[in-house]
Amino acid sequence: MVREEMRAVGYLCPRCKKPVIARRSRFALAASGANVPCACGKSELQIDFDGEKFRVSVPCGVCGGEHLAECGADRLLDGEGIGLACPETSELCCFIGEEYAVERALAQLQITAEKQSAQGESPAAFTDTVIMYEVLSELKEIAARPHGISCACGSERYRMQVRPAAVDLVCEDCGAKMRIGAATDEDLDRLCCRMTLQIPGRRG
Ligand SMILES: [Zn+2]
Ligand SMILES: [Zn+2]
Ligand SMILES: [Zn+2]
């Protein structure tokens, strides 16, 4: 497999709430780190490399603060990528890695951040970030179908609770719950063959 030359760096701007994505070559990252400013000019992510470890300063789009994280060169420069979690909320607030993974993760973060500010909930860090984002985008597709997600009680109002290794669909009317695994390839396969989902309604 050919190693991609470029790595993507992404975060959610705490000021304008827009996703910020920049591309940097592995060489540039290892040579001089990176500064990734938001187009609004009010936030900037910084990456420094001391020859062994990367130090990342992230403006956090989830809690509005600024976080410092350290990570090994291998994790930052190789593989699908990493997500850095906000210590206040345990929500991932920065992604560095393959472009498609970072773009997808950021799009989802934006949705989650919007939902969360509406609900005041904070999911924990995920068992498998890539699977979680695949599962969330699959759920979004199912939800977009007519009667895509419903409850046996007849309701189509539900909310999602994101857990480290699963997503719970909770009926807003009867409170019944359905757990969707979001930690393994099998979880994803199982979900991908479903056209619609029905929460088993609560009895009595
Ligand atoms: Zn901004
Ligand atoms: Zn934060
Ligand atoms: Zn129900």
Side-chain angles (χ1 to χ4, degrees):
M1 211 198 282
V2 182
R3 233 163 84 118
E4 278 287 323
E5 177 60 32
M6 306 299 277
R7 297 295 266 175
V9 180
Y11 71 100
L12 194 64
C13 174
R15 299 304 194 84
C16 68
K17 303 286 178 197
K18 293 213 174 88
V20 183
I21 298 191
R23 284 147 207 85
R24 295 286 186 272
S25 74
R26 288 188 156 91
F27 289 116
L29 280 171
S32 55
N35 287 356
V36 180
C38 175
C40 78
K42 291 183 180 144
S43 75
E44 185 177 56
L45 177 145
Q46 292 180 333
I47 303 176
D48 291 306
F49 187 49
D50 66 8
E52 224 175 285
K53 275 193 167 143
F54 281 95
R55 200 152 295 161
V56 188
S57 165
V58 190
C60 179
V62 182
C63 75
E66 179 111 13
H67 307 305
L68 267 178
E70 277 191 355
C71 79
D74 49 339
R75 293 184 61 218
L76 194 137
L77 294 176
D78 286 311
E80 205 142 41
I82 53 163
L84 303 178
C86 164
E88 301 292 326
T89 64
S90 303
E91 177 74 80
L92 296 171
C93 61
C94 167
F95 303 91
I96 301 170
E98 297 295 341
E99 195 166 347
Y100 74 92
V102 171
E103 272 177 8
R104 174 163 292 196
L106 264 184
Q108 199 56 55
L109 169 60
Q110 201 181 10
I111 295 167
T112 312
E114 279 164 12
K115 278 216 177 107
Q116 242 171 267
S117 61
Q119 290 179 6
E121 282 180 24
S122 55
F126 307 132
T127 305
D128 184 320
T129 309
V130 176
I131 296 283
M132 176 56 82
Y133 287 116
E134 295 283 354
V135 164
L136 284 171
S137 40
E138 187 63 30
L139 280 174
K140 224 174 79 181
E141 268 176 44
I142 295 174
R145 292 177 192 137
H147 315 294
I149 299 180
S150 60
C151 176
C153 77
S155 172
E156 289 193 9
R157 301 194 313 130
Y158 64 93
R159 69 195 138 88
M160 280 190 206
Q161 289 178 339
V162 180
R163 315 252 174 229
V167 178
D168 288 340
L169 300 176
V170 185
C171 173
E172 292 274 34
D173 287 306
C174 73
K177 200 185 270 190
M178 179 181 186
R179 178 155 288 191
I180 312 284
T184 65
D185 287 334
E186 290 74 48
D187 288 337
L188 186 59
D189 289 345
R190 211 173 301 132
L191 185 61
C192 285
C193 60
R194 304 288 295 267
M195 282 303 289
T196 60
L197 291 169
Q198 189 177 55
I199 303 166
R202 180 163 286 175
R203 288 160 226 271

